[in-house]
Amino acid sequence: MTPTLRQSTLLCLALSLCALLVVPGNFPGLSGDARLTLAVFALATCAWIGTPIDDTYIALGAGLALTATGVISSDTLFGTLGDATVWLLICAFVLAAAVARSGLAGRAAVFLVSGARSVRQLTHLTTAALVVTAFAVPATSGRAALALPVFLALAKALAGRGRLVVMLALLFPTVILLSAVATLIGAGAHLITVSVLWESTGERIGFAQWLLLGLPLAIASSHLAAEAVLWTTTRRADRTGPIRVTPEQIRDHVRDTEGMGGPVTGPWEPAETRCALLLATVVALWCSEPLHQVPPAMVALIGAVVASSPALGTVRLKDALRTVPWSLLLFMAATMAMGVAMADSGAARWLVSGLPVEVSPWLFLAVVILVSTAAHLVLQSRSARSSVLVPLVIAAAAGAGVNPVAAALASTAAAGFCHTLPASAKPVTLFADIPGTPTYTPRDLLRLSAVLAPLTAALVLLFALAVWPLLGVPVVR
């Protein structure tokens, strides 16, 4: 189907649904606000899927339409920009800018990767390093940009082993996407999920609880994916033989990269020491929130102020604020408002009211995970997927007797798989086309996805049914 034909088809479907919703006799029991919400949601979803219009522009237009029609108030729309999760992400990006400017990223890469003596060691040490970056850099696109110079250094060191370079090119975005579930700030979709859960059920997931639930899944899925990447992109001959990556090879590529200056070996500089202590303190305070009761957003704000202070900081505040993806924040705020409209108007409950509720909890979760895993083929934006799926999943879980927290977490975790096409996620796009460096092809992605999609979906289901209940999130209410 050509893009023009697809756009026309989606537009016809959306307009047809809107026309059906306008007729008062159709869909008895559906309130006027719910009808308007569904119409706006259908148009926004079709625009996200079938048009090249910026996702943020569509979300803002949808939020404005819901406000203008009285479905939500202007205070609700603008209040989402002041939500604590938005401030958490802003301050996290300031902290990330300070870490990048201090040179800690290059030093950490040398510490972990230069110790590899075999291909499998290199693969899993790289995986471990990428998982750790989820605590220092918010959002997957930011982590991908920070990791790119390290990949280029490894590619140069392995220039004579082309299949290994391709393997690493595929490993970096794969692990970055799957390990994002480790922390609340790992992806904007997580913040949307937390916000929708709070508005719909009154359940609040904090940084520490998300870490407890998400980190084990991130570690397991990342190393499982590392093995899948290794076996689908290399042959036995590629995996044999010693390997040696020296600190000098990494240093030559990372020390001159913007924002990653400084030495990568030897004694620590004062700025690196201060930044490392600050980051460790912030993460420790985030993880110990139940003890001191200081909200994560407040901890992040204090850390951001210190990181950009003239005396103790490593980056100027105005420079750090340039790294904040303001478009993503506006998108998050608008989709949070859309989620409030779906919940408060009753539209989400009505959409799932016709679904069979007499199913076992494991089957319900399996269907949720399957749909969420495949959703990236339709909606490329991870945040858009959560804004569409999570309100529906929460409403359906309530009807089926399943714990909405477990269902929402399973959906969000499963939506982290988006590796099928080069355009499925920004990190995949970034590593798919690197001038002068061999990288993967669409065929490599399809081969990996055929193996990794069922593995990650089964792993999320295992955690939802067997692991998360042990950590305080039961399957049923």
Side-chain angles (χ1 to χ4, degrees), residues 106-133:
R107 189 180 290 274
V110 166
F111 175 76
L112 284 168
V113 176
S114 62
R117 294 296 178 268
S118 67
V119 172
R120 180 162 273 104
Q121 278 188 344
L122 177 64
T123 301
H124 286 282
L125 285 174
T126 301
T127 299
L130 291 172
V131 172
V132 171
T133 62

Side-chain angles (χ1 to χ4, degrees), residues 258-276:
E258 183 179 357
M260 298 180 66
V264 294
T265 56
W268 285 37
E269 295 186 346
E272 291 178 305
T273 303
R274 294 196 306 270
C275 192

Side-chain angles (χ1 to χ4, degrees), residues 201-217:
T201 67
E203 298 272 0
R204 173 73 77 179
I205 300 179
F207 188 94
Q209 186 181 8
W210 190 290
L211 182 70
L212 179 65
L213 299 169
L215 181 58
L217 176 59

Side-chain angles (χ1 to χ4, degrees), residues 84-252:
T85 55
V86 174
W87 277 94
L88 173 63
L89 198 59
I90 292 173
C91 297
F93 270 100
V94 174
L95 287 168
V99 170
R101 186 62 58 88
S102 70
L104 282 176
R107 189 180 290 274
V110 166
F111 175 76
L112 284 168
V113 176
S114 62
R117 294 296 178 268
S118 67
V119 172
R120 180 162 273 104
Q121 278 188 344
L122 177 64
T123 301
H124 286 282
L125 285 174
T126 301
T127 299
L130 291 172
V131 172
V132 171
T133 62
F135 296 91
V137 183
T140 54
S141 56
R143 293 168 63 201
L146 186 69
L148 183 59
V150 178
F151 163 72
L152 292 175
L154 293 174
K156 182 179 180 182
L158 301 171
R161 305 174 73 173
R163 293 303 303 175
L164 291 186
V165 175
V166 172
M167 183 273 293
L168 288 172
L170 193 52
L171 178 71
F172 272 72
T174 298
V175 175
I176 286 170
L177 289 167
L178 293 179
S179 63
V181 74
T183 70
L184 182 59
I185 61 173
H190 303 169
L191 304 179
I192 292 173
T193 297
V194 168
S195 176
V196 174
L197 265 174
W198 170 250
E199 294 290 344
S200 303
T201 67
E203 298 272 0
R204 173 73 77 179
I205 300 179
F207 188 94
Q209 186 181 8
W210 190 290
L211 182 70
L212 179 65
L213 299 169
L215 181 58
L217 176 59
I219 294 173
S221 61
S222 296
H223 285 280
L224 180 66
E227 283 294 322
V229 170
L230 189 62
W231 284 98
T232 58
T233 57
T234 62
R235 303 178 181 91
R236 181 184 296 272
D238 300 319
R239 297 188 291 270
T240 57
I243 195 169
R244 176 72 174 172
V245 180
T246 65
E248 291 74 19
Q249 290 170 321
I250 297 179
R251 180 193 62 203
D252 291 342

Side-chain angles (χ1 to χ4, degrees), residues 34-110:
R35 291 173 185 271
L36 289 170
T37 300
L38 288 174
V40 170
F41 218 78
L43 289 170
T45 303
C46 289
W48 279 329
I49 296 172
T51 70
I53 302 174
D54 184 78
D55 290 344
T56 302
Y57 187 85
I58 295 169
L60 288 174
L64 180 60
L66 292 170
T67 304
T69 54
V71 177
I72 58 175
S73 66
S74 58
D75 289 341
T76 299
L77 177 63
F78 295 127
T80 54
L81 278 172
D83 191 271
T85 55
V86 174
W87 277 94
L88 173 63
L89 198 59
I90 292 173
C91 297
F93 270 100
V94 174
L95 287 168
V99 170
R101 186 62 58 88
S102 70
L104 282 176
R107 189 180 290 274
V110 166

Side-chain angles (χ1 to χ4, degrees), residues 10-30:
L10 289 171
L11 179 60
C12 289
L13 288 174
L15 292 178
S16 299
L17 177 59
C18 293
L20 291 174
L21 291 169
V22 168
V23 179
N26 291 334
F27 313 117
L30 196 60

